[in-house]
Amino acid sequence: MSELSAAFVRLHARLAPVAFVPEVRLHQADEPIGLWELTEGEFRSSQPPPFWAFAWAGGQALARHVTDHPEVVAGRRVLDLASGSGLVAIAAARAGAAAVRAVEVDERAVAAVALNADANGVRVDAELGDVLDSDAGDAEVVLAGDVFYSEAMARRMLRFLLRAARAGARVLVGDPDRAFLPRERFHALATYDVPVSEALESVRVKRTTVWELDPTPPGARR
């Protein structure tokens, strides 16, 4: 973990309980727009937006589901994709996962995951890198919160998740009805009304579903 990135996280986000998963505390930004502009999050530079500074609806729903249903991850090796703040990874670790790997492309997110895991007293292996053209390694459960927010990301993510599922991993995603979720590939496990930042989502509550991926092609199902 870069000390500079860790210092940035501590400076711009404060440790507080997550609205829908208060069992977990995260470093969260109080004022999203200012931080977004500070990190040039409108894609004016190569610096990724500060997704790590907010508890997004998909991640909150997935973390809530894992917390309430620890049998999903207990004793299993877990991969959390596009981990952001590490919320889902931390929930999996708290629920008894044998090992948790959290992957991010943003160095500050990796720092946030490490700081947040430490604040919650759990071990999460935070990793910097883009793994979507690879595979899920030895993961038995793959979790992804709020990852279908763009067409390009959705295509790459679905290919990765299908490879993971066909290799034997159980794949769960949390999604608040984003436009690019390929719903025909999933079946719903649970639906929640999740509190969110109005500044980010234009609403205070997002109806959010936890889905499980079915690796069988839609046309081949009976």
PDB file of all heavy atoms in Angstrom, residues 6 36 67 69 111 116 118-119 123 125 140 142 164 182 191 205:
ATOM      1  N   ALA A   6      -2.500   6.151   0.952  1.00  0.00           N
ATOM      2  CA  ALA A   6      -3.154   5.970   2.253  1.00  0.00           C
ATOM      3  C   ALA A   6      -3.408   7.317   2.916  1.00  0.00           C
ATOM      4  O   ALA A   6      -4.477   7.555   3.498  1.00  0.00           O
ATOM      5  CB  ALA A   6      -2.305   5.087   3.151  1.00  0.00           C
ATOM      6  N   TRP A  36     -14.688  14.238  -6.318  1.00  0.00           N
ATOM      7  CA  TRP A  36     -14.703  13.787  -7.717  1.00  0.00           C
ATOM      8  C   TRP A  36     -13.902  14.753  -8.596  1.00  0.00           C
ATOM      9  O   TRP A  36     -13.085  14.345  -9.413  1.00  0.00           O
ATOM     10  CB  TRP A  36     -16.145  13.713  -8.199  1.00  0.00           C
ATOM     11  CG  TRP A  36     -16.366  12.780  -9.358  1.00  0.00           C
ATOM     12  CD1 TRP A  36     -16.086  13.016 -10.661  1.00  0.00           C
ATOM     13  CD2 TRP A  36     -16.923  11.464  -9.289  1.00  0.00           C
ATOM     14  NE1 TRP A  36     -16.446  11.938 -11.419  1.00  0.00           N
ATOM     15  CE2 TRP A  36     -16.951  10.984 -10.628  1.00  0.00           C
ATOM     16  CE3 TRP A  36     -17.403  10.668  -8.261  1.00  0.00           C
ATOM     17  CZ2 TRP A  36     -17.448   9.705 -10.935  1.00  0.00           C
ATOM     18  CZ3 TRP A  36     -17.902   9.411  -8.577  1.00  0.00           C
ATOM     19  CH2 TRP A  36     -17.912   8.944  -9.889  1.00  0.00           C
ATOM     20  N   THR A  67     -23.586 -10.770   4.630  1.00  0.00           N
ATOM     21  CA  THR A  67     -23.649 -10.679   6.095  1.00  0.00           C
ATOM     22  C   THR A  67     -24.805 -11.490   6.651  1.00  0.00           C
ATOM     23  O   THR A  67     -24.669 -12.179   7.670  1.00  0.00           O
ATOM     24  CB  THR A  67     -23.769  -9.203   6.521  1.00  0.00           C
ATOM     25  OG1 THR A  67     -22.600  -8.490   6.078  1.00  0.00           O
ATOM     26  CG2 THR A  67     -23.898  -9.065   8.023  1.00  0.00           C
ATOM     27  N   HIS A  69     -26.321 -13.966   5.084  1.00  0.00           N
ATOM     28  CA  HIS A  69     -26.233 -15.355   4.620  1.00  0.00           C
ATOM     29  C   HIS A  69     -24.763 -15.777   4.559  1.00  0.00           C
ATOM     30  O   HIS A  69     -24.211 -16.002   3.471  1.00  0.00           O
ATOM     31  CB  HIS A  69     -26.896 -15.497   3.244  1.00  0.00           C
ATOM     32  CG  HIS A  69     -28.338 -15.093   3.224  1.00  0.00           C
ATOM     33  ND1 HIS A  69     -29.358 -15.938   3.625  1.00  0.00           N
ATOM     34  CD2 HIS A  69     -28.933 -13.920   2.889  1.00  0.00           C
ATOM     35  CE1 HIS A  69     -30.520 -15.315   3.515  1.00  0.00           C
ATOM     36  NE2 HIS A  69     -30.291 -14.087   3.081  1.00  0.00           N
ATOM     37  N   ALA A 111      -5.396   1.211  -1.396  1.00  0.00           N
ATOM     38  CA  ALA A 111      -5.073   1.761  -0.072  1.00  0.00           C
ATOM     39  C   ALA A 111      -6.315   1.815   0.809  1.00  0.00           C
ATOM     40  O   ALA A 111      -6.266   1.472   1.997  1.00  0.00           O
ATOM     41  CB  ALA A 111      -4.466   3.154  -0.215  1.00  0.00           C
ATOM     42  N   ASN A 116      -9.529   0.082   5.322  1.00  0.00           N
ATOM     43  CA  ASN A 116     -10.855  -0.316   5.794  1.00  0.00           C
ATOM     44  C   ASN A 116     -10.849  -1.715   6.398  1.00  0.00           C
ATOM     45  O   ASN A 116     -11.516  -1.968   7.413  1.00  0.00           O
ATOM     46  CB  ASN A 116     -11.858  -0.233   4.644  1.00  0.00           C
ATOM     47  CG  ASN A 116     -12.157   1.196   4.225  1.00  0.00           C
ATOM     48  OD1 ASN A 116     -12.042   2.123   5.031  1.00  0.00           O
ATOM     49  ND2 ASN A 116     -12.521   1.389   2.972  1.00  0.00           N
ATOM     50  N   ASP A 118      -8.334  -3.135   7.888  1.00  0.00           N
ATOM     51  CA  ASP A 118      -7.678  -2.996   9.192  1.00  0.00           C
ATOM     52  C   ASP A 118      -8.638  -2.393  10.220  1.00  0.00           C
ATOM     53  O   ASP A 118      -8.684  -2.839  11.372  1.00  0.00           O
ATOM     54  CB  ASP A 118      -6.432  -2.122   9.046  1.00  0.00           C
ATOM     55  CG  ASP A 118      -5.641  -2.034  10.338  1.00  0.00           C
ATOM     56  OD1 ASP A 118      -5.135  -3.066  10.807  1.00  0.00           O
ATOM     57  OD2 ASP A 118      -5.544  -0.924  10.905  1.00  0.00           O
ATOM     58  N   ALA A 119      -9.426  -1.396   9.798  1.00  0.00           N
ATOM     59  CA  ALA A 119     -10.369  -0.748  10.715  1.00  0.00           C
ATOM     60  C   ALA A 119     -11.451  -1.706  11.189  1.00  0.00           C
ATOM     61  O   ALA A 119     -12.006  -1.529  12.274  1.00  0.00           O
ATOM     62  CB  ALA A 119     -11.010   0.466  10.034  1.00  0.00           C
ATOM     63  N   ARG A 123      -8.750  -9.628   7.601  1.00  0.00           N
ATOM     64  CA  ARG A 123      -7.699  -9.688   6.592  1.00  0.00           C
ATOM     65  C   ARG A 123      -8.313  -9.761   5.203  1.00  0.00           C
ATOM     66  O   ARG A 123      -9.155 -10.632   4.918  1.00  0.00           O
ATOM     67  CB  ARG A 123      -6.800 -10.908   6.801  1.00  0.00           C
ATOM     68  CG  ARG A 123      -5.755 -11.035   5.696  1.00  0.00           C
ATOM     69  CD  ARG A 123      -4.761 -12.131   5.921  1.00  0.00           C
ATOM     70  NE  ARG A 123      -3.851 -12.214   4.791  1.00  0.00           N
ATOM     71  CZ  ARG A 123      -2.808 -13.036   4.721  1.00  0.00           C
ATOM     72  NH1 ARG A 123      -2.541 -13.853   5.739  1.00  0.00           N
ATOM     73  NH2 ARG A 123      -2.037 -13.060   3.658  1.00  0.00           N
ATOM     74  N   ASP A 125      -6.712  -9.415   1.169  1.00  0.00           N
ATOM     75  CA  ASP A 125      -5.540  -9.216   0.317  1.00  0.00           C
ATOM     76  C   ASP A 125      -5.916  -8.277  -0.820  1.00  0.00           C
ATOM     77  O   ASP A 125      -6.598  -8.679  -1.771  1.00  0.00           O
ATOM     78  CB  ASP A 125      -5.048 -10.560  -0.228  1.00  0.00           C
ATOM     79  CG  ASP A 125      -4.542 -11.481   0.882  1.00  0.00           C
ATOM     80  OD1 ASP A 125      -3.874 -10.978   1.802  1.00  0.00           O
ATOM     81  OD2 ASP A 125      -4.827 -12.692   0.821  1.00  0.00           O
ATOM     82  N   GLU A 140     -13.495 -19.690  -5.123  1.00  0.00           N
ATOM     83  CA  GLU A 140     -14.687 -20.532  -5.109  1.00  0.00           C
ATOM     84  C   GLU A 140     -15.966 -19.691  -5.177  1.00  0.00           C
ATOM     85  O   GLU A 140     -17.024 -20.186  -5.565  1.00  0.00           O
ATOM     86  CB  GLU A 140     -14.709 -21.377  -3.839  1.00  0.00           C
ATOM     87  CG  GLU A 140     -13.532 -22.340  -3.730  1.00  0.00           C
ATOM     88  CD  GLU A 140     -13.441 -22.951  -2.358  1.00  0.00           C
ATOM     89  OE1 GLU A 140     -12.953 -22.283  -1.421  1.00  0.00           O
ATOM     90  OE2 GLU A 140     -13.871 -24.120  -2.219  1.00  0.00           O
ATOM     91  N   VAL A 142     -17.104 -15.644  -6.425  1.00  0.00           N
ATOM     92  CA  VAL A 142     -16.730 -14.363  -7.021  1.00  0.00           C
ATOM     93  C   VAL A 142     -17.869 -13.384  -6.764  1.00  0.00           C
ATOM     94  O   VAL A 142     -19.031 -13.676  -7.055  1.00  0.00           O
ATOM     95  CB  VAL A 142     -16.456 -14.495  -8.527  1.00  0.00           C
ATOM     96  CG1 VAL A 142     -16.152 -13.127  -9.138  1.00  0.00           C
ATOM     97  CG2 VAL A 142     -15.301 -15.460  -8.781  1.00  0.00           C
ATOM     98  N   ALA A 164     -15.329 -17.620 -14.836  1.00  0.00           N
ATOM     99  CA  ALA A 164     -15.250 -18.032 -13.437  1.00  0.00           C
ATOM    100  C   ALA A 164     -16.328 -19.056 -13.109  1.00  0.00           C
ATOM    101  O   ALA A 164     -16.069 -20.078 -12.461  1.00  0.00           O
ATOM    102  CB  ALA A 164     -15.370 -16.815 -12.528  1.00  0.00           C
ATOM    103  N   PRO A 182     -26.763  -7.587 -17.972  1.00  0.00           N
ATOM    104  CA  PRO A 182     -27.400  -8.579 -18.858  1.00  0.00           C
ATOM    105  C   PRO A 182     -28.309  -9.506 -18.047  1.00  0.00           C
ATOM    106  O   PRO A 182     -27.948 -10.624 -17.688  1.00  0.00           O
ATOM    107  CB  PRO A 182     -26.202  -9.319 -19.454  1.00  0.00           C
ATOM    108  CG  PRO A 182     -25.135  -9.215 -18.406  1.00  0.00           C
ATOM    109  CD  PRO A 182     -25.346  -7.886 -17.721  1.00  0.00           C
ATOM    110  N   THR A 191     -33.804  -8.783  -3.073  1.00  0.00           N
ATOM    111  CA  THR A 191     -33.916  -7.382  -3.457  1.00  0.00           C
ATOM    112  C   THR A 191     -34.030  -6.526  -2.204  1.00  0.00           C
ATOM    113  O   THR A 191     -34.717  -6.894  -1.249  1.00  0.00           O
ATOM    114  CB  THR A 191     -35.136  -7.156  -4.361  1.00  0.00           C
ATOM    115  OG1 THR A 191     -35.000  -7.969  -5.536  1.00  0.00           O
ATOM    116  CG2 THR A 191     -35.237  -5.697  -4.798  1.00  0.00           C
ATOM    117  N   VAL A 205     -32.884   6.506  -2.097  1.00  0.00           N
ATOM    118  CA  VAL A 205     -32.978   5.053  -1.940  1.00  0.00           C
ATOM    119  C   VAL A 205     -32.973   4.419  -3.332  1.00  0.00           C
ATOM    120  O   VAL A 205     -33.667   4.886  -4.240  1.00  0.00           O
ATOM    121  CB  VAL A 205     -34.268   4.647  -1.188  1.00  0.00           C
ATOM    122  CG1 VAL A 205     -34.420   3.131  -1.152  1.00  0.00           C
ATOM    123  CG2 VAL A 205     -34.263   5.212   0.226  1.00  0.00           C
TER     124      VAL A 205
END
